């Protein structure tokens, strides 16, 4: 991902927060010439077994995910394949009317993290169950209502043959936080305020990130 210097994340926590708050990633890999690339939307979490701190470019980090085992993408994956996970965070259209100057051009403020890594397919049903349970636990804590999964574990076991779980060892990541940094401070603040006043949650979340810029 091409990231101009003004749009780089102020520190690593911005990339980590975006991944945690927007865990539905697009997993892409190269396919054969007759098929083209594969792309699958799927939920991704940090591996609970990861004990090291996140590095500046996230290298060495461990991520877990799973997909439908009937997906041709799953059949095409091989241990050691290079993969790309694309995470999208808050984004919003910027109308030139907000700038209050002429000439001006419209644009789109957006946030994204591209994670490169190497995939390892998890073949054991017990390990796959651990991935499913870890995913439920992470998402219930962050987005859910503390649902107790224990009454459904037997059901989980029944559907495990249809689940393709994997681990990704991150080699590097790039974060793009395009939040009007190229504009003069007063214009950037007008954009932020216009977003903050909108009903759309994406606009308000983008405004919040703009307010956190150094």
């Amino acid at each position: 991902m091409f990231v101009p210097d003004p749009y780089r994340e102020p520190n690593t926590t911005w990339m980590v927060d975006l991944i945690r708050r927007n865990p539905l990633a697009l997993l892409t890999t190269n396919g054969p010439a007759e098929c083209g690339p594969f792309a699958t939307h799927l939920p991704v979490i940090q591996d609970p077994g990861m004990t090291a701190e996140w590095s500046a470019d996230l290298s060495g980090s461990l991520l877990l995910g799973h997909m439908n085992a009937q997906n041709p993408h799953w059949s095409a994956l091989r241990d050691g394949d290079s993969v790309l996970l694309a995470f999208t965070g808050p984004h919003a259209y910027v109308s030139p009317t907000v700038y209050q100057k002429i000439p001006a051009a419209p644009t789109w403020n957006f946030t994204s993290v591209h994670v490169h890594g190497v995939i390892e397919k998890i073949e054991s049903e017990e390990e796959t169950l651990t991935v499913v349970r870890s995913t439920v636990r992470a998402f219930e804590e962050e987005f859910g209502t503390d649902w107790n999964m224990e009454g459904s574990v037997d059901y989980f076991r029944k559907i495990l043959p249809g689940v393709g779980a994997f681990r990704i060892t991150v080699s590097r990541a790039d974060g793009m936080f395009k939040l009007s940094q190229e504009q003069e401070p007063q214009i950037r603040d007008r954009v932020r305020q216009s977003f903050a006043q909108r009903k759309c949650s994406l606009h308000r979340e983008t405004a919040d990130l703009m307010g956190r810029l150094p």
Side-chain angles (χ1 to χ4, degrees):
M1 178 167 62
F2 171 63
V3 184
D5 286 340
Y7 302 143
R8 294 199 172 275
E9 68 282 353
N11 56 63
T12 303
T13 62
W14 283 55
M15 289 200 291
V16 175
D17 285 348
L18 188 147
I19 290 172
R20 286 177 173 164
R21 296 184 185 189
N22 305 273
L24 187 66
L26 181 65
L27 173 69
T28 63
T29 59
N30 292 328
E34 63 272 18
C35 296
F38 288 98
T40 299
H41 292 274
L42 43 75
V44 176
I45 64 168
Q46 177 185 354
D47 187 338
M50 176 181 154
T51 57
E53 295 294 322
W54 297 85
S55 62
D57 63 354
L58 308 193
S59 59
S61 304
L62 300 175
L63 302 175
L64 296 176
H66 64 277
M67 69 170 73
N68 188 325
Q70 297 300 312
N71 187 337
H73 196 172
W74 177 251
S75 301
L77 285 171
R78 298 290 182 270
D79 285 349
D81 280 354
S82 295
V83 301
L84 169 66
L85 286 168
F87 297 85
T88 301
H91 58 89
Y93 172 70
V94 183
S95 171
T97 58
V98 181
Y99 295 153
Q100 299 179 16
K101 69 174 185 178
I102 296 177
T107 190
W108 205 287
N109 278 1
F110 69 92
T111 58
S112 180
V113 173
H114 285 192
V115 175
H116 297 261
V118 175
I119 198 165
E120 170 198 355
K121 297 176 76 170
I122 295 173
E123 304 293 351
S124 159
E125 286 199 355
E126 283 305 311
E127 282 191 79
T128 299
L129 178 60
T130 297
V131 171
V132 172
R133 291 177 64 117
S134 296
T135 301
V136 171
R137 192 174 297 113
F139 292 161
E140 277 297 317
E141 180 179 342
E142 184 72 23
F143 310 109
T145 54
D146 294 326
W147 173 64
N148 188 332
M149 76 179 92
E150 295 311 312
S152 296
V153 172
D154 286 342
Y155 172 69
F156 290 174
R157 291 186 184 277
K158 290 180 181 178
I159 64 175
L160 284 181
V163 177
F166 58 84
R167 177 179 291 104
I168 291 175
T169 301
V170 178
S171 53
R172 67 179 175 87
D174 298 304
M176 176 87 159
F177 293 84
K178 181 180 176 298
L179 300 168
S180 298
Q181 294 97 319
E182 78 284 359
Q183 297 293 339
E184 299 174 3
Q186 65 271 23
I187 294 179
R188 184 167 66 241
D189 192 55
R190 281 203 292 270
V191 175
R192 182 191 63 79
Q193 290 185 43
S194 73
F195 286 172
Q197 294 166 6
R198 301 285 290 274
K199 293 182 179 180
C200 173
S201 60
L202 284 175
H203 283 82
R204 295 197 302 272
E205 290 171 10
T206 305
D208 179 65
L209 283 176
M210 294 179 71
R212 290 168 52 193
L213 286 172

